[in-house]
Amino acid sequence: MNSTTGGLYQAFAEREARGNSASYQELAERVAEDAGLRALLDGLPAAKRQPNLLFSAVRHLGGPVKDGYPAFRDWTVAHWDEVAATTLERRTQTNEAGRCATLLPLLAALPQPLALIEVGASAGLCLYPDRYRYQYVGEVEGSAEEFGAEGSPVTLECAVRGPVPLWDRLPEVVWRAGIDLNPLDVRDEEDMRWLESLVWPEQTHRLERLRGAVQVARAEPPYLVRGDLNATVRELVAQVPAGATPVVFHSAVLAYLSPEAREEFAATMRGLPGHWISNEALSVLPVVERRLPRPAPAGSGLFALALDERPVAFTGPHGQSLDWFEPLDEFRPHDGFEPLDGFGPRDGFGPLERSGA
Ligand SMILES: C[S@@+](CC[C@H](N)C(=O)[O-])C[C@H]1O[C@@H](n2cnc3c(N)ncnc32)[C@H](O)[C@@H]1O
């Protein structure tokens, strides 16, 4: 067995698919043992052999991923040239609007109005936190709160723990832009079909959310720039309209960069005006990781949410949970925002300022 490709599929089956997708778990386990399919995969560049990319490519082309391994294997081998071409053309670049639920408390607390810049934006669906509805569910029974944009086709659910500061108004976004190595266009049917192919088969709630968020973004397609985030972020911040607070943010992006490129980005962000919100796997930003007040449960897959490198919460990787660390006394939303009952601090709010910015 080719230990590299076989090991990759075995690890994916055990660490990622187990508990999330029975069909992908089975496919990955069987590919790991299948010398013939592994030989085909080994003909691709190493970065293109990922299980998620293979399974998404097969789905995108209309192949079966839920009918058991023999059907998947026969179809994939028979259509290998098309499958290989799709893996070479496409990337694993899911776009999860659900993450807006974990970004919202920070966004609402910053001096308004905001100019949002998302690095690693994919199709830009996280650039519309003011166009979705939110349902935050506390640990105490009956402590759910729902609010957000009237008539939005998307309601983002999020389980909250700790003193999360929730406000009963949405942030005011006056400008939004994104950067991606390969921006996806919400107006392009093929791009959107690819995003749908990236959602795992059993995660039908994510598919519905994706379709709703695409509808929201199509009403006012985002300004997305093609490029590397390190090469491009400064020029986008320079375009922020006067009077708006620049907020650069990212979720599930920096893991794709080398440690040196991540440090370069952090150094750039420390020198730019405005605020920096990161929402990444725990070890991705060493400064944030060092400052965590407590360890995350082992194997939880949680992200760390941080404002200007100060960790504020653990978050579910798709925005499904928010575990806030501490009430932040100086965490002060601008005038006119009211915290929701049962969540967060109540009194003495003024604008949150970033020291040195
Ligand atoms: C897993 S997706 C996450 C997309 C989005 N942030 C979200 O939360 O749904 C990661 C995205 O980062 C982009 N990306 C990776 N490295 C990048 C880089 N160096 N510069 C710009 N974008 C990058 C990928 O193309 C991809 O669209």
Side-chain angles (χ1 to χ4, degrees):
M1 165 162 138
N2 177 317
S3 60
T4 305
T5 304
L8 187 68
Y9 277 74
Q10 196 57 50
F12 175 86
E14 283 164 19
R15 293 190 207 140
E16 299 189 49
R18 185 185 298 280
N20 290 314
S21 170
S23 53
Y24 277 11
Q25 184 182 344
E26 185 204 347
L27 297 187
E29 283 168 350
R30 298 287 300 272
V31 172
E33 294 164 356
D34 185 332
L37 199 52
R38 286 202 322 271
L40 290 174
L41 284 164
D42 287 339
L44 297 171
K48 296 293 183 178
R49 296 174 200 154
Q50 306 157 52
N52 212 10
L53 188 57
L54 171 68
F55 301 152
S56 301
V58 171
R59 287 177 81 199
H60 190 63
L61 294 166
V65 294
K66 289 175 76 177
D67 301 339
Y69 190 68
F72 167 82
R73 187 195 196 276
D74 290 351
W75 193 95
T76 301
V77 171
H79 296 81
W80 183 250
D81 288 350
E82 294 159 74
V83 172
T86 303
T87 62
L88 293 175
E89 183 197 347
R90 296 285 182 180
R91 298 161 177 266
T92 51
Q93 52 180 139
T94 46
N95 200 183
E96 183 45 80
R99 294 181 178 127
C100 287
T102 52
L103 302 174
L104 193 80
L106 285 180
L107 294 174
L110 298 174
Q112 311 286 309
L114 306 181
L116 298 181
I117 298 167
E118 185 182 13
V119 300
S122 187
L125 303 180
C126 294
L127 282 165
Y128 299 86
D130 53 334
R131 306 278 168 86
Y132 302 134
R133 292 190 63 72
Y134 298 88
Q135 189 181 57
Y136 290 97
V137 182
E139 288 182 294
V140 179
E141 209 179 319
S143 61
E145 292 285 355
E146 184 170 335
F147 62 96
E150 285 301 318
S152 176
V154 178
T155 299
L156 304 176
E157 288 169 27
C158 183
V160 297
R161 288 183 62 193
V164 54
L166 291 179
W167 322 105
D168 64 0
R169 277 173 49 182
L170 293 166
E172 186 190 350
V173 181
V174 290
W175 195 79
R176 52 193 110 217
I179 303 167
D180 203 283
L181 285 176
N182 183 47
L184 296 175
D185 185 344
V186 290
R187 293 159 294 195
D188 184 303
E189 290 299 335
E190 273 302 288
D191 276 1
M192 295 306 99
R193 271 200 341 100
W194 175 245
L195 271 186
E196 292 192 7
S197 303
L198 287 168
V199 177
W200 293 6
E202 291 83 355
Q203 298 180 332
T204 49
H205 63 291
R206 291 187 68 201
L207 189 60
E208 280 168 32
R209 191 156 71 199
L210 172 64
R211 289 178 175 158
V214 169
Q215 198 184 320
V216 167
R218 276 182 173 161
E220 186 198 326
Y223 168 40
L224 297 181
V225 175
R226 182 180 296 272
D228 176 77
L229 51 86
N230 272 322
T232 324
V233 69
R234 272 192 202 82
E235 72 191 60
L236 270 189
V237 171
Q239 292 176 38
V240 165
T245 303
V247 183
V248 176
F249 71 98
H250 49 90
S251 284
V253 171
L254 295 193
Y256 290 84
L257 274 64
S258 67
E260 295 75 26
R262 289 178 210 161
E263 186 42 49
E264 181 187 343
F265 179 70
T268 302
M269 289 312 306
R270 288 174 199 134
L272 285 175
H275 291 277
W276 169 25
I277 296 177
S278 58
N279 185 38
E280 298 286 348
L282 304 181
S283 60
V284 166
L285 284 170
V287 172
V288 172
E289 189 181 28
R290 262 200 314 276
R291 292 178 178 169
L292 286 170
R294 54 183 152 92
S300 64
L302 291 173
F303 285 5
L305 177 69
L307 176 66
D308 302 322
E309 298 185 275
R310 176 179 179 177
V312 298
F314 289 131
T315 65
H318 296 140
Q320 67 272 43
S321 65
L322 184 55
D323 182 354
W324 205 266
F325 297 140
E326 293 167 9
L328 301 176
D329 290 341
E330 81 287 20
F331 193 75
R332 297 169 183 180
H334 65 287
D335 291 345
F337 271 40
E338 290 296 329
L340 291 167
D341 283 350
F343 294 94
R346 305 278 163 88
D347 306 313
F349 301 114
L352 175 71
E353 300 296 349
R354 175 181 174 181
S355 56

XYZ file of all heavy atoms in Angstrom, residues 91-96 99 118 120-122 126 179-182 227-229 251-253 256-257, ligand 1:
209
model
N -10.394 23.849 -6.224
C -9.765 23.790 -4.899
C -10.820 23.486 -3.858
O -11.993 23.766 -4.076
C -9.213 25.173 -4.499
C -8.158 25.701 -5.372
C -8.048 27.209 -5.154
N -6.967 27.746 -5.956
C -5.738 27.929 -5.521
N -5.451 27.689 -4.263
N -4.802 28.383 -6.299
N -10.369 23.012 -2.692
C -11.321 22.850 -1.584
C -11.475 24.223 -0.947
O -10.606 24.664 -0.200
C -10.793 21.856 -0.539
O -9.481 22.244 -0.175
C -10.778 20.444 -1.074
N -12.518 24.913 -1.298
C -12.693 26.263 -0.746
C -14.151 26.486 -0.354
O -14.846 27.329 -0.895
C -12.188 27.341 -1.710
C -12.710 27.271 -3.113
C -12.143 28.403 -3.980
O -11.797 28.165 -5.112
N -12.085 29.628 -3.500
N -14.578 25.666 0.581
C -15.922 25.819 1.111
C -16.156 27.259 1.557
O -15.216 27.956 1.938
C -16.102 24.942 2.361
O -14.958 25.130 3.192
C -16.262 23.493 2.027
N -17.386 27.680 1.547
C -17.716 29.012 2.057
C -18.870 28.837 3.035
O -19.960 28.423 2.645
C -18.099 29.924 0.902
C -17.983 31.395 1.233
O -18.309 32.245 0.417
N -17.517 31.729 2.418
N -18.603 29.096 4.312
C -19.572 28.782 5.358
C -20.083 30.063 6.015
O -19.433 30.638 6.897
C -18.902 27.865 6.398
C -19.807 27.406 7.498
C -21.168 26.947 7.009
O -21.265 25.819 6.532
O -22.159 27.710 7.100
N -20.352 30.931 9.907
C -19.310 31.540 10.750
C -19.643 32.977 11.128
O -19.085 33.516 12.084
C -17.953 31.464 10.036
C -17.494 30.027 9.883
C -16.145 29.899 9.199
N -15.791 28.493 9.139
C -15.437 27.843 8.026
N -15.367 28.481 6.881
N -15.140 26.559 8.074
N -12.546 40.712 4.001
C -12.293 39.319 4.351
C -11.159 38.786 3.497
O -11.218 38.851 2.265
C -13.546 38.453 4.150
C -13.295 37.031 4.638
C -14.482 36.090 4.439
O -15.420 36.446 3.712
O -14.431 34.992 5.008
N -9.175 35.547 2.141
C -9.565 34.141 1.961
C -11.073 34.035 1.952
O -11.671 33.248 2.671
N -11.714 34.867 1.113
C -13.170 35.043 1.179
C -13.957 33.978 0.436
O -15.178 33.907 0.594
C -13.537 36.422 0.626
N -13.305 33.167 -0.413
C -14.008 32.198 -1.256
C -15.022 32.969 -2.120
O -14.616 33.813 -2.915
C -14.654 31.110 -0.387
O -15.196 30.102 -1.180
N -19.342 35.328 3.831
C -19.208 35.818 5.213
C -19.121 37.345 5.262
O -18.958 37.921 6.337
C -17.984 35.208 5.895
S -18.140 33.426 6.143
N -10.608 39.147 -0.558
C -9.432 38.708 -1.325
C -9.460 37.193 -1.343
O -9.724 36.572 -0.311
C -8.115 39.118 -0.616
C -8.040 40.619 -0.374
C -6.897 38.617 -1.396
C -6.911 41.006 0.587
N -9.151 36.617 -2.486
C -8.958 35.166 -2.515
C -8.008 34.816 -3.662
O -7.975 35.507 -4.682
C -10.295 34.425 -2.702
C -10.208 32.995 -2.187
O -9.614 32.148 -2.885
O -10.701 32.732 -1.075
N -7.250 33.740 -3.458
C -6.395 33.246 -4.539
C -7.256 32.876 -5.734
O -6.830 32.999 -6.877
C -5.634 31.990 -4.078
C -4.461 32.185 -3.134
C -3.916 30.816 -2.731
C -3.367 33.037 -3.771
N -8.472 32.417 -5.455
C -9.389 31.984 -6.515
C -10.810 32.363 -6.111
O -11.567 31.527 -5.644
C -9.269 30.466 -6.696
C -10.134 29.970 -7.824
O -10.136 30.551 -8.904
N -10.890 28.917 -7.581
N -6.014 37.337 -5.589
C -4.617 37.554 -5.204
C -4.291 36.885 -3.893
O -5.165 36.321 -3.216
N -3.009 36.959 -3.550
C -2.549 36.428 -2.278
C -2.835 37.465 -1.194
O -2.628 38.664 -1.406
C -1.044 36.151 -2.362
C -0.501 35.678 -1.035
O -0.710 34.508 -0.707
O 0.101 36.504 -0.308
N -3.281 37.000 -0.044
C -3.681 37.955 1.001
C -2.513 38.828 1.449
O -2.699 40.024 1.705
C -4.334 37.221 2.177
C -3.599 36.034 2.805
C -2.625 36.470 3.858
C -4.624 35.084 3.413
N -11.532 33.387 8.418
C -11.919 32.129 9.055
C -11.410 30.984 8.211
O -11.669 30.952 6.996
C -13.448 31.982 9.075
O -14.035 32.775 10.044
N -10.748 30.033 8.846
C -10.329 28.807 8.145
C -9.503 29.115 6.902
O -9.725 28.540 5.842
C -11.561 27.973 7.770
N -8.569 30.037 7.021
C -7.765 30.454 5.870
C -6.258 30.298 6.130
O -5.524 29.755 5.302
C -8.074 31.927 5.507
C -7.109 32.454 4.464
C -9.510 32.058 5.023
N -3.783 27.414 5.363
C -3.294 27.137 4.017
C -1.927 27.797 3.765
O -1.307 27.562 2.741
C -4.275 27.666 2.968
C -5.579 26.904 2.904
C -6.629 27.190 3.775
C -5.769 25.890 1.967
C -7.822 26.493 3.725
C -6.966 25.187 1.903
C -7.976 25.492 2.788
O -9.152 24.787 2.726
N -1.502 28.663 4.676
C -0.252 29.396 4.482
C 0.887 28.720 5.247
O 0.655 28.053 6.266
C -0.388 30.841 5.011
C -0.979 31.892 4.060
C -2.418 31.560 3.706
C -0.911 33.269 4.717
C -11.678 26.908 3.651
S -11.937 28.311 2.642
C -12.732 29.414 3.804
C -13.532 30.477 3.104
C -14.197 31.502 4.018
N -13.217 32.242 4.784
C -15.209 30.881 4.981
O -15.027 31.007 6.194
O -16.172 30.289 4.524
C -10.295 29.014 2.517
C -10.168 30.062 1.411
O -8.902 30.718 1.558
C -8.363 30.941 0.264
N -6.913 31.123 0.390
C -5.999 30.206 0.793
N -4.767 30.754 0.797
C -4.894 32.039 0.407
C -3.977 33.108 0.202
N -2.672 32.960 0.415
N -4.450 34.310 -0.199
C -5.793 34.477 -0.424
N -6.706 33.475 -0.258
C -6.270 32.280 0.146
C -8.793 29.704 -0.513
O -8.738 29.928 -1.918
C -10.196 29.479 0.007
O -11.167 30.152 -0.760
